[in-house]
Amino acid sequence: MFSSLRPKVEEILLKNKETPDARMLEICQLLKDSIPHYDWVGFYFRNGEKEELLLGPYAGAPTDHTIIPFGKGICGQVALSNKNFVVPDVKAQDNYIACSINVKAEIVVPLFVGGENIGQIDIDSNTPDPFTEADEEFLEFITKAVSQIL
Ligand code: SME
């Protein structure tokens, strides 16, 4: 599944006439539609010089959490840790921001440009404990590939 998606992601990123936001949106839609355990797929980016994340392109239900302060929730923690965060069970997390009662698990992978953590990809899943190392590797491929067009 992941290996067949990689060339499709590369193809989307080569569409130089499209804005980066349009290409990231297309990637969100592709991932959400192709991977059964991906129910919400979105990018967050640092909001200018502020210590907060701003929601970028996403696919899935609209969320109230368009701004997330650094340190808050899974996303805000990744903004500070610079590390992948895999959450098999969101109920077991104290520092978690719920977007929908259906979400059971979450994975967030940071996105680096020039070595700086400037944002992240965030996946919510309605399936309990669905993420493996294969998800982490695939999402690291996505963040590296997207960093090339930013
Ligand atoms: N659950 C995230 C908030 C973002 S939503 O999942 C879209 C968090 O705890 O940071």
Side-chain angles (χ1 to χ4, degrees), residues 65-84:
H65 305 290
T66 53
I67 291 196
I68 299 179
F70 281 14
K72 300 277 182 209
I74 308 305
C75 297
Q77 291 177 76
V78 169
L80 296 175
S81 72
N82 307 324
K83 292 203 168 68
N84 298 350

Side-chain angles (χ1 to χ4, degrees), residues 40 44 55 63 65 68 72-77 90 95-99 103 106 108 120 122-124:
W40 189 94
Y44 282 93
L55 180 62
T63 172
H65 305 290
I68 299 179
K72 300 277 182 209
I74 308 305
C75 297
Q77 291 177 76
V90 294
N95 190 357
Y96 169 71
I97 303 166
C99 283
V103 175
E106 178 162 3
V108 178
Q120 51 192 240
D122 176 20
I123 317 291
D124 283 344

Side-chain angles (χ1 to χ4, degrees), residues 9 24 26 32 37 46 53 63 68-69 75 77 88 92 94 97 102 104 108 117 121 131 136 143-144 147-148:
V9 168
M24 286 190 277
E26 211 179 313
K32 182 180 173 293
H37 59 290
R46 186 175 185 160
L53 295 162
T63 172
I68 299 179
C75 297
Q77 291 177 76
D94 297 332
I97 303 166
N102 300 322
K104 301 279 194 302
V108 178
N117 179 353
I121 190 166
F131 302 116
E136 288 192 69
T143 53
K144 279 191 195 116
S147 77
Q148 307 292 315

